[in-house]
Amino acid sequence: MVKKMREQSNIINNNTKINKLTYFALAVVMIATFILFSIFRQEYVGGCDWYGYYQQSLLLKQGKVYLDTDIDVKKFPAASPLGFYSRGDKSVPHFPPGYPLLMAIFGFVGLEFYVTPLIGALSFLIMFLIIRKFTGEGIAFMMALLWVLCPIAMWGSTNIMSDLVAAFFIMLTFYLYISDKTPLAGLVYGFSLMVRPSNFVFGLVLLPLLIRDRKLIKFCLYCAIPGSMIAGYNWIVHGVPWKYGSLSILGVMKLSAIFPNLAFYSREAFLQYTPLLLLPALWGLIRKWRQSYTFALWILLFLAFYSTVILGTRNWWGTRFL
């Protein structure tokens, strides 16, 4: 399948090299968006998710996984702050360690609040490179620009949240895979699970390609490298390798949420992406359906999964999960 994708890409793109003008335009947009996102980046923490990610990054920077508290959390579990929960006599992080780890690395040079602005700018480049595999430079550039300037991408590029980070790493996984870099794709995908466990859904998107290309074992072996690190971290922090935080995913999934969520996602997709993005995307899926079923599967599987999840809000930025 990947071979067919590349053949199709070569047919459309007679000149597979990116010209100098396009390189210049890409650089200009990346620098401009990074500056824009940096100006409006979040510079404070207060809510549960924000504080949880930030405090967890401080712990990782110090080489710790538990939060020291003045109050005995075994006797008073409520003493664990936002984003943490009490496990025995320890206050442990509720969130996966991937995004806080990036914040910790950037934090060594005082740039922890610049992770999402950088990811936002890089997502423009990766989107361009993916679309460039299947069409011309002009269309790829335009669609990538529409992506990075759409409301939810800009929101994710300026907030201390892991949503865009999680999306970026599965986009990067896909680009590396269709570029015949299976080992790197496996490593990146494994790390994406460290950012957001629900990225397992993307594994189902890749599964048909991996089976057809006979690369499933190779991909999984490389994915297991960061995967084993995640399991080790979870074992130390949460007591079992497969557990992330204190909540069970089954506890936040309800069949009664499906139709309200579908209505919400449909309305917001139309408002945020506008027909300028939606109609060309739909036309591309229909016109090149043999080459596009992977993209359709990508959309449908994540939509199906998150349609069952109870949303904390149905404000426009609730679409961040998709």
Side-chain angles (χ1 to χ4, degrees), residues 5 47 109 126 134 155 171-172 175 187 209 224 243 299 307:
M5 282 182 162
V109 289
I126 295 301
F134 306 99
W155 183 91
M171 289 164 60
L172 182 57
Y175 173 71
L187 290 171
L209 301 181
K243 185 178 182 181
I299 296 168
S307 290

Side-chain angles (χ1 to χ4, degrees), residues 72-93:
D72 186 351
V73 295
K74 188 173 184 179
K75 293 181 180 179
F76 306 98
S80 288
L82 295 173
F84 287 74
Y85 74 99
S86 301
R87 188 174 77 85
D89 60 349
K90 302 185 187 305
S91 183
V92 300

Side-chain angles (χ1 to χ4, degrees), residues 29-278:
V29 172
M30 289 181 65
I31 293 171
T33 52
F34 176 70
I35 292 173
L36 176 67
F37 298 152
S38 296
I39 291 172
F40 293 99
R41 76 189 187 281
Q42 187 175 331
E43 300 181 67
Y44 57 88
V45 293
C48 175
D49 294 31
W50 299 339
Y51 175 78
Y53 287 128
Y54 179 66
Q55 182 60 64
Q56 192 173 353
S57 76
L58 295 181
L59 290 178
L60 293 173
K61 193 164 67 170
Q62 298 169 36
K64 298 179 179 179
V65 294
Y66 305 121
L67 180 66
D68 296 326
T69 58
D70 294 330
I71 300 175
D72 186 351
V73 295
K74 188 173 184 179
K75 293 181 180 179
F76 306 98
S80 288
L82 295 173
F84 287 74
Y85 74 99
S86 301
R87 188 174 77 85
D89 60 349
K90 302 185 187 305
S91 183
V92 300
H94 170 72
F95 298 106
Y99 175 44
L101 178 61
L102 294 176
M103 290 186 70
I105 294 171
F106 277 64
F108 282 111
V109 289
L111 298 175
E112 57 267 38
F113 293 122
Y114 287 86
V115 174
T116 48
L118 179 61
I119 291 292
L122 289 175
S123 75
F124 163 76
L125 176 63
I126 295 301
M127 183 67 79
F128 169 83
L129 292 174
I130 290 174
I131 300 173
R132 177 66 176 81
K133 286 285 185 180
F134 306 99
T135 186
E137 287 182 8
I139 294 176
F141 185 87
M142 180 186 71
M143 300 305 286
L145 185 62
L146 289 172
W147 150 257
V148 78
L149 295 179
C150 77
I152 199 63
M154 296 185 74
W155 183 91
S157 300
T158 55
N159 275 269
I160 302 175
M161 297 290 280
S162 66
D163 305 281
L164 184 64
V165 181
F168 170 79
F169 281 106
I170 60 174
M171 289 164 60
L172 182 57
T173 297
F174 183 70
Y175 173 71
L176 290 171
Y177 185 72
I178 63 176
S179 299
D180 201 23
K181 294 179 173 60
T182 304
L184 280 176
L187 290 171
V188 170
Y189 179 64
F191 180 77
S192 82
L193 297 174
M194 193 183 295
V195 176
R196 175 158 291 180
S198 57
N199 275 354
F200 83 89
V201 175
F202 187 68
L204 302 178
V205 177
L206 278 184
L207 187 59
L209 301 181
L210 292 168
I211 293 174
R212 289 194 177 193
D213 299 330
R214 298 180 181 179
K215 293 183 177 180
L216 178 60
I217 295 177
K218 184 177 183 179
F219 182 87
C220 289
L221 286 175
Y222 281 94
C223 180
I225 296 174
S228 61
M229 297 170 63
I230 303 168
Y233 174 87
N234 288 341
W235 200 326
I236 293 171
V237 175
H238 304 296
V240 289
W242 55 84
K243 185 178 182 181
Y244 288 86
S246 60
L247 294 177
S248 166
I249 186 62
L250 295 178
V252 295
M253 296 180 73
K254 300 289 183 183
L255 292 178
S256 59
I258 292 178
F259 291 109
N261 283 352
L262 285 176
F264 167 71
Y265 288 135
S266 299
R267 183 184 72 250
E268 288 300 326
F270 181 83
L271 293 174
Q272 293 184 41
Y273 295 107
T274 77
L276 191 62
L277 269 176
L278 296 176

